[in-house]
Amino acid sequence: MFPNLDTDFITFGVMPYVALAVLLVGSVARYERDPFTWKSSSSQLLRRKQLVWGSILFHVGIVTAFFGHPVGLFTPVWVLDALGIPYALKQWMAVLMGGPAGIAALIGATLLLHRRLFDPRIRITSSYPDILIMVLIWLRLVIGLLTITQTLQHMDGAEMVRFMTWSQSIVTWNINAWATVVDFHWLYKLHIFLGLLITMLFPFTRLVHMISGFAAPVRYLARSGYQIVRSRRQAPLARLALERSMPPPPRDDL
């Protein structure tokens, strides 16, 4: 029933489901355990230089790529056929929109990463997971831009359709979906692998603020009007208040 456990099967047949499971379970567990850590932990007060342009370029580019990938990968092929959109046209749209977005995100990520690694005050306040995730994002952006060199050699759209088939087969639990990408160029494979790895690390880094950012308007409209704050104190607040209101015991040395 199962194919040989080679790297292609593990990476493109098993890892997508593991990554999604870790993403969901890890995000819920972190929110239940430490809800107040769902933030970007901005270092603007420590050093504003490079932050503005780096943040703008990175976020504009990464958001464009973030929404572009699901639209490009999960749009059924029959929709393109029904609308009469040639595969080559969709391929060109991906290159012309994804290329500038990737370049903008890469420039922004480079500025932010340089700032975080070489400014002593920011470096000391940065955790290893946050630095690791930024390095992985930077590397994935580089690999993604390099894949354009391979895409331009297959502008008929055939490679794009294969990517779409693999992505949609994963969603429909097709156990043989991995076979679709076996003979892809190694740049494509590395790009996918890094994406899955980032997905697995997502709940344990500051990237979780993406979820809180999208969910903030919904949470604001559905707010209850009050906030319950959990205390880590061992003694009840009422007993602490009583102890503080009592006069101090008499001293023997008086």
Side-chain angles (χ1 to χ4, degrees):
M1 177 178 179
F2 294 96
N4 295 328
L5 296 180
D6 57 12
T7 55
D8 286 319
F9 172 69
I10 295 174
T11 304
F12 307 111
V14 177
M15 193 173 177
Y17 300 108
V18 175
L20 289 175
V22 173
L23 172 65
L24 295 175
V25 176
S27 297
V28 172
R30 178 172 178 177
Y31 185 79
E32 288 295 323
R33 183 177 183 276
D34 293 306
F36 297 107
T37 64
W38 278 49
K39 56 183 180 178
S40 59
S41 300
S42 176
S43 57
Q44 182 176 352
L45 294 177
L46 297 177
R47 184 171 185 254
R48 184 180 175 85
K49 189 177 181 181
Q50 289 184 254
L51 177 63
V52 176
W53 279 108
S55 181
I56 291 175
L57 289 172
F58 175 74
H59 283 90
V60 169
I62 209 72
V63 168
T64 303
F66 179 80
F67 285 105
H69 276 68
V71 172
L73 293 175
F74 295 105
T75 300
V77 177
W78 63 265
V79 172
L80 301 179
D81 296 336
L83 296 176
I85 301 176
Y87 300 158
L89 176 61
K90 187 175 183 298
Q91 190 88 332
W92 274 111
M93 291 175 60
V95 172
L96 296 178
M97 296 179 64
I103 293 174
L106 179 61
I107 295 174
T110 303
L111 293 174
L112 295 176
L113 188 59
H114 177 272
R115 177 177 173 273
R116 186 163 297 279
L117 291 178
F118 295 99
D119 186 295
R121 292 187 301 173
I122 300 177
R123 177 66 180 83
I124 201 172
T125 60
S126 302
S127 64
Y128 288 111
D130 290 332
I131 294 176
L132 173 62
I133 202 70
M134 198 66 198
V135 171
L136 291 176
I137 291 175
W138 185 90
L139 183 60
R140 188 169 191 261
L141 288 169
V142 172
I143 299 299
L145 290 172
L146 290 177
T147 60
I148 296 179
T149 61
Q150 298 299 315
T151 302
L152 293 175
Q153 301 178 26
H154 305 279
M155 293 307 296
D156 58 350
E159 293 292 292
M160 175 200 65
V161 172
R162 294 175 62 194
F163 275 118
M164 295 169 65
T165 302
W166 171 74
S167 303
Q168 295 167 30
S169 297
I170 290 293
V171 174
T172 56
W173 294 86
N174 184 352
I175 197 172
N176 295 317
W178 69 278
T180 309
V181 297
V182 169
D183 57 345
F184 274 168
H185 193 274
W186 66 269
L187 283 173
Y188 291 124
K189 291 184 177 182
L190 182 57
H191 186 64
I192 296 174
F193 171 77
L194 289 175
L196 295 174
L197 184 60
I198 291 172
T199 301
M200 294 176 65
L201 296 175
F202 181 95
F204 313 106
T205 66
R206 67 179 62 202
L207 287 182
V208 293
H209 79 277
M210 293 175 59
I211 299 179
S212 60
F214 288 123
V218 178
R219 293 182 58 195
Y220 179 79
L221 294 175
R223 69 192 187 283
S224 59
Y226 59 88
Q227 181 179 6
I228 299 177
V229 179
R230 291 178 290 186
S231 174
R232 297 182 182 273
R233 295 186 180 92
Q234 299 297 325
L237 291 176
R239 193 176 73 186
L240 288 175
L242 179 62
E243 292 175 353
R244 292 175 181 175
S245 63
M246 296 176 61
R251 297 175 57 181
D252 296 335
D253 55 348
L254 295 180

